[in-house]
Amino acid sequence: MKKLIIVAIAVFCVACNQPPGGQGSSADASGSNAASGGAGSGDERFYGRERFTLVGTQTGTEAGSFTEHVRDWGRARAEIKDVTLSMMGVTRRAHTRVIYTGAEVATVDLETGNVTLMTNPLYSQVVDAMRGRDGVEFGQAIMTQMGGRATGERGRYAGHECEYWELAQLGSRSCVTQWGATLHNVTDMAGVRLERTVTEVRMGDGGPEAAFEYDAARATQAPSLEDIRAKMRGN
């Protein structure tokens, strides 16, 4: 359901999708960083399960495979993707690991080892809006506000049942479990089509520690949203 929250909030409050980045991480003795938490109370729950791993495939504009490790009810995630991007006659490979920890996100290029850090400036606003509700309930409410609806269709992927939700204005259909994981998603808008299908669910497996670490020596800070706005204003 966290992906539904991200999709819906992205339209609702503009650019609320988690961007690559992260600040305030502390280096350990080995010189690698483990992304540390950002804004939030530390008890928000985006999913109804504390730890799990999803493995699957993608087709369309991004074709390849993905593995997503989830910990701490979704407050920490690491998504590894090995995909080929194809758009407007241009094709390139993207092999990345993106670490989300609260408001902080670190994007690791697994081909070069370079790391890009940023902070999602709207994360705390989403957490505040969630207060008193779990991530599944909140995601459904936001989807409904944005014109999304449950279609009544059900699916089954990797041995888990899910319910389809549709957000027509984004050309998106997602099959979501009762505990919030998206097992199948199709987005088709403006000639860009992407389909993601989960083929394996590992409950209780939040992934290895290495998935949540990066080389601090290779990290650079990306411009913040405020920096970008200032540059656009000519400041």
Side-chain angles (χ1 to χ4, degrees):
M1 182 56 68
K2 190 172 185 179
K3 280 189 169 57
L4 287 187
I5 295 173
I6 291 169
V7 169
I9 295 293
V11 178
F12 183 68
C13 64
V14 184
C16 200
N17 194 0
Q18 299 182 19
Q23 292 178 339
S25 301
S26 56
D28 61 24
S30 67
S32 67
N33 269 24
S36 59
S41 65
D43 59 3
E44 54 272 11
R45 295 188 177 187
F46 295 100
Y47 295 103
R49 298 290 185 272
E50 184 177 4
R51 300 164 68 93
F52 59 90
T53 289
L54 306 177
V55 179
T57 60
Q58 296 186 183
T59 61
T61 305
E62 286 190 4
S65 61
F66 67 87
T67 299
E68 182 175 5
H69 302 299
V70 178
R71 296 181 175 185
D72 300 330
W73 311 97
R75 294 191 296 273
R77 294 188 301 122
E79 184 175 29
I80 300 98
K81 293 171 62 175
D82 189 355
V83 298
T84 298
L85 309 175
S86 302
M87 186 175 292
M88 298 183 352
V90 178
T91 299
R92 69 178 181 87
R93 184 188 183 200
H95 191 195
T96 59
R97 176 162 47 88
V98 184
I99 308 165
Y100 304 90
T101 310
E104 301 172 2
V105 192
T107 299
V108 183
D109 185 324
L110 296 176
E111 294 297 309
T112 66
N114 294 331
V115 183
T116 303
L117 307 177
M118 277 185 66
T119 298
N120 182 346
L122 298 177
Y123 181 87
S124 61
Q125 296 178 33
V126 174
V127 171
D128 288 343
M130 278 180 58
R131 281 216 211 274
R133 292 181 287 183
D134 61 36
V136 177
E137 177 187 359
F138 179 71
Q140 291 175 346
I142 293 297
M143 285 288 287
T144 300
Q145 289 179 29
M146 296 306 303
R149 67 183 184 90
T151 67
E153 301 172 73
R154 300 194 65 81
R156 184 178 179 85
Y157 299 90
H160 292 261
E161 300 285 338
C162 53
E163 179 183 19
Y164 272 98
W165 280 74
E166 181 179 70
L167 189 57
Q169 68 187 65
L170 293 182
S172 178
R173 280 169 47 86
S174 300
C175 199
V176 185
T177 67
Q178 289 185 337
W179 41 278
T182 299
L183 302 184
H184 181 241
N185 171 264
V186 178
T187 301
D188 193 347
M189 184 173 63
V192 177
R193 188 179 193 279
L194 175 63
E195 181 172 4
R196 289 169 57 102
T197 305
V198 170
T199 57
E200 181 183 0
V201 178
R202 301 201 295 262
M203 303 302 295
D205 178 3
E209 291 299 324
F212 293 84
E213 299 175 346
Y214 59 86
D215 185 352
R218 305 296 296 274
T220 58
Q221 187 71 46
S224 67
L225 183 59
E226 290 73 18
D227 291 338
I228 295 172
R229 286 174 174 169
K231 186 173 183 179
M232 293 176 65
R233 291 194 299 266
N235 296 343

